[in-house]
Amino acid sequence: MTGPGAITVRADAQRNRQRLLAAALRAFSSSEEKVTLEAIAKCAGVGIGTLYRHFPTREALVEAVYRNELEQLRVSAEDLLASRRPDVALRTWMDRFADYVAAKRGMAEALRAVVASGAISSSETRDVLTAAIRSLLDAAVVAGTVRFDVRADDVLASLTGVFLAAGAPQQRDQAGRMLDLLMDGLRARTG
C-alpha cells in the first residue's frame, strides 16, 4: 500500500510495538512468575496475533525489551546531562540503572536463552553502559564534582555489585543508600 494509508499502517504498527514493549517491560519487572504472552498482549491492548507479528517468539520479545531498555538507558545519560548538573545526572542515572536491572531480573530465564543464542553479548552491553557512564563522569570531572581518577568500568562494576547485594524489589531502599555511598566515594574532595 502506498500513499497516506501506508504511513498510518506503519504508525499504528510502531505504536503497537511500543505498547507491547512497555507492557512486556512492566510484566517482566513486576512479576516473580513467568508471564504469559497472552497477558502481555492484553495489557498492551492488542491481540495475541499482533504480538506474534512483531515478536514471533518469547525470546524475540525478551531481546527487543532488553535492547530497548539498554538504548533508553544510554540515551538517558545524554538527556540527564542536558537538564541537570553532571553529578546529579550521574546519581539519577544510577537510579535508572536500578530500573534496568529490575527489568532484567524479571526476564532472567528467557534472557539467558537469548544470550546463549548469541543474539545479545555481555561485551556489547558492557560497552554501551561503560560509554554512558564515561560521558556522565567526564562532564562531572569538568564541573569539578567528581574525582578525575574514576574509571567508568569501575563504576559499572560497583553498580553491578550493589545490585547483586541488594537487587530484590524489597531492597530498593537499601540499594538507594548504597548508591548514595558510591556517589559519595566518587565526589571530588576540596581542600
Side-chain angles (χ1 to χ4, degrees):
M1 182 175 196
T2 60
I7 293 170
T8 303
V9 171
R10 281 180 272 193
D12 288 348
Q14 184 60 30
R15 277 193 299 274
N16 285 342
R17 178 181 170 77
Q18 291 306 314
R19 289 184 4 218
L20 284 163
L21 289 172
L25 176 62
R26 282 191 307 274
F28 292 142
S29 299
S30 64
S31 179
E32 298 279 327
E33 301 173 17
K34 188 171 183 175
V35 179
T36 67
L37 296 180
E38 290 80 6
I40 291 170
K42 183 177 180 182
C43 182
V46 301
I48 191 68
T50 299
L51 184 144
Y52 280 119
R53 271 191 299 285
H54 289 279
F55 310 105
T57 64
R58 180 180 195 81
E59 290 75 21
L61 176 60
V62 168
E63 180 183 350
V65 168
Y66 179 82
R67 288 187 183 284
N68 188 57
E69 282 303 289
L70 184 61
E71 177 61 11
Q72 286 188 21
L73 191 57
R74 183 194 69 74
V75 168
S76 75
E78 298 167 10
D79 294 345
L80 289 168
L81 283 173
S83 63
R84 300 183 181 172
R85 283 190 351 241
D87 58 325
V88 174
L90 176 59
R91 180 58 185 86
T92 303
W93 189 89
M94 290 178 182
D95 286 329
R96 292 187 182 177
F97 183 83
D99 296 336
Y100 166 79
V101 170
K104 284 176 52 179
R105 177 185 285 289
M107 56 184 175
E109 181 182 321
L111 192 54
R112 276 190 285 278
V114 173
V115 170
S117 75
I120 297 172
S121 74
S122 58
S123 64
E124 173 190 357
T125 299
R126 186 176 46 254
D127 291 348
V128 169
L129 294 173
T130 301
I133 293 168
R134 187 175 302 111
S135 70
L136 291 159
L137 286 173
D138 289 348
V141 167
V142 168
T145 56
V146 168
R147 296 172 19 197
F148 70 90
D149 62 338
V150 176
R151 293 175 44 134
D153 57 335
D154 292 342
V155 174
L156 180 57
S158 298
L159 288 170
T160 302
V162 165
F163 293 106
L164 284 173
Q170 65 273 18
Q171 294 176 300
R172 191 62 182 257
D173 288 342
Q174 181 183 24
R177 292 188 305 271
M178 293 169 76
L179 293 175
D180 288 341
L181 287 170
L182 173 58
M183 193 65 212
D184 285 346
L186 299 175
R187 292 200 185 279
R189 303 295 180 231
T190 57

